Amino acid sequence: MPEPLIWKKRIRTIRDFNYSDIMQAGVLRERLLHSSYSLTESRIILEISRRTSLTATDLSRDLGLDPGYLSRLLGRLETGGVIERPRSKRDGRRRVLKLTPGGKRIAGLLNRRVDDDIAEYLAGLTECDQSRLMDAIHVINEINDSRGNRIADSRYFLREAEPSDAERIARGYEALFEQTFGSAGEFRQALTDTAALLFEITDLRQAHCWIAEMNGESVGSIVLEQLDQDRLHIKLLMVEPKRRGLGIGGSLLDQAIRFANGTDSKQMLIWTIRDQRRLQGMLSKRGFKQTDRPTVSYYGMSFEVESWTLDLRE
């Protein structure tokens, strides 16, 4: 066995290595060292333990987890008394992830077990193979870092939603709502009503939805409904957190505007949560004007919003 400091450094190097690569190598077991938590749950607990001001959106992006799946896992951990989700002191719209006192004890145990598991893995290698492994990890990290500096493949396309998309659309918006505001109990009714407007067969279709797809995945969507005879309302707009910054939100807005300009409506309206600067910029660029900053009630919930309107071509 090498010197203790070298030994600890090698354990740390493997721990810092991408978790998915460790799992593929067989270093971490599906049930992390016989704990009562799955590998994914253990990853979440460990990630929360080492970072501050972490949100569900951050976790979804960094661990590559589906927002809906992550939301369910976080709900189980919260119910089990492992984590809590207080509102951020800096931004009351955001909920941060924190370990409870019991969660911190669990994280400490998991950390010790991970170190022991990696030590057991290393002990089965010769000194020469341990050194080769460290070199290989450094090379992989260098390649991944250089890859990250290149422009990612940002090709996506838009299509109109179909009835088979209803559940996926609802799940995406529900997960985003839970990450931002907490329990989505009341909001589920809004999603049910929206699906009825989109997909129930009527003489006059009252709403339309477009989905952005990338590499076979849904990465964003927009829902446009007829508010009254003269106005169309952008009811829902979402881009998956890990796909933001690629222009998807703007493309969805442009599609909705093109459709609206082909109708008899005179104005398009959108309500946004206050002070969303990126969205404000997207709206301003397309000619939307902020008209009001009301507090609105929506399915039993109260929100401080901004009202933006766009005059459509006659």
Side-chain angles (χ1 to χ4, degrees):
M1 181 181 294
E3 294 293 327
L5 288 178
I6 296 177
W7 187 252
K8 289 182 179 180
K9 184 177 180 180
R10 287 177 178 176
I11 290 176
R12 176 53 53 189
T13 296
I14 292 181
R15 287 204 61 169
D16 289 342
F17 191 51
N18 185 287
Y19 271 109
S20 63
D21 296 317
I22 296 173
M23 185 172 63
Q24 291 296 329
V27 180
L28 296 182
R29 302 182 179 98
E30 177 58 29
R31 284 280 169 181
L32 187 60
L33 296 145
H34 316 298
S35 78
S36 59
Y37 300 97
S38 69
L39 176 61
T40 304
E41 289 169 333
S42 299
R43 291 172 66 191
I44 291 170
I45 294 170
L46 292 172
E47 197 70 13
I48 295 173
S49 73
R50 72 181 187 87
R51 296 173 62 180
T52 59
S53 302
L54 184 69
T55 67
T57 299
D58 298 328
L59 267 183
S60 175
R61 180 187 64 244
D62 297 344
L63 298 185
L65 296 174
D66 174 77
Y69 174 57
L70 175 61
S71 179
R72 291 190 291 274
L73 290 181
L74 291 175
R76 287 203 292 269
L77 292 174
E78 187 173 25
T79 301
V82 179
I83 67 168
E84 54 186 356
R85 294 188 268 190
R87 292 193 182 276
S88 169
K89 294 180 179 179
R90 292 185 177 182
D91 185 348
R93 296 166 300 180
R94 301 172 70 245
R95 290 185 178 272
V96 296
L97 303 174
K98 297 181 63 176
L99 296 176
T100 63
K104 291 178 181 178
R105 289 192 293 271
I106 292 169
L109 177 62
L110 290 176
N111 271 305
R112 290 192 296 273
R113 287 181 172 178
V114 170
D115 284 349
D116 290 345
D117 201 27
I118 293 175
E120 180 184 339
Y121 171 76
L122 287 173
L125 303 177
T126 65
E127 171 64 24
C128 178
D129 283 345
Q130 288 183 30
S131 297
R132 291 174 61 209
L133 178 64
M134 296 301 106
D135 291 341
I137 288 176
H138 291 317
V139 170
I140 291 172
N141 284 335
E142 289 176 0
I143 292 172
N144 284 337
D145 289 342
S146 65
R147 177 176 177 269
N149 291 330
R150 295 196 294 270
I151 298 175
D153 182 1
S154 59
R155 290 174 294 180
Y156 58 89
F157 69 93
L158 306 185
R159 65 172 177 83
E160 193 155 6
E162 302 173 351
S164 59
D165 295 309
E167 182 179 351
R168 179 168 57 172
I169 294 169
R171 189 168 62 244
Y173 282 110
E174 183 177 334
L176 181 62
F177 187 95
E178 287 182 340
Q179 292 168 18
T180 306
F181 302 108
S183 174
E186 297 287 346
F187 185 58
R188 292 190 185 98
Q189 184 59 49
L191 295 173
T192 299
D193 292 349
T194 298
L197 289 173
L198 283 170
F199 302 120
E200 286 189 0
I201 299 175
T202 61
D203 293 336
L204 178 63
R205 190 168 182 185
Q206 301 178 65
H208 293 264
C209 175
W210 293 271
I211 292 175
E213 285 197 350
M214 177 185 292
N215 300 325
E217 295 182 14
S218 172
V219 294
S221 59
I222 190 169
V223 176
L224 183 67
E225 70 172 0
Q226 194 76 43
L227 190 61
D228 54 38
Q229 184 175 354
D230 294 326
R231 295 183 300 170
L232 288 163
H233 174 212
I234 297 175
K235 188 173 185 178
L236 296 168
L237 171 61
M238 178 190 70
V239 176
E240 291 290 342
K242 64 182 179 181
R243 301 299 187 185
R244 290 174 185 169
L246 300 178
I248 295 172
S251 294
L252 289 166
L253 270 175
D254 291 339
Q255 175 61 46
I257 292 170
R258 282 194 296 271
F259 175 85
N261 278 323
T263 69
D264 295 331
S265 297
K266 298 178 180 178
Q267 194 175 67
M268 181 182 286
L269 166 71
I270 181 172
W271 285 338
T272 73
I273 300 301
R274 291 184 187 176
D275 302 322
Q276 296 287 310
R277 293 186 179 180
R278 177 178 290 181
L279 182 54
Q280 288 174 341
M282 289 168 49
L283 294 171
S284 295
K285 183 178 179 180
R286 288 160 178 80
F288 281 84
K289 306 294 183 184
Q290 185 184 138
T291 58
D292 197 7
R293 289 168 61 90
T295 298
V296 300
S297 294
Y298 192 62
Y299 287 87
M301 300 168 287
S302 181
F303 297 96
E304 293 183 342
V305 303
E306 296 173 350
S307 177
W308 293 73
T309 60
L310 173 69
D311 292 330
L312 301 173
R313 291 199 301 264
E314 295 183 359

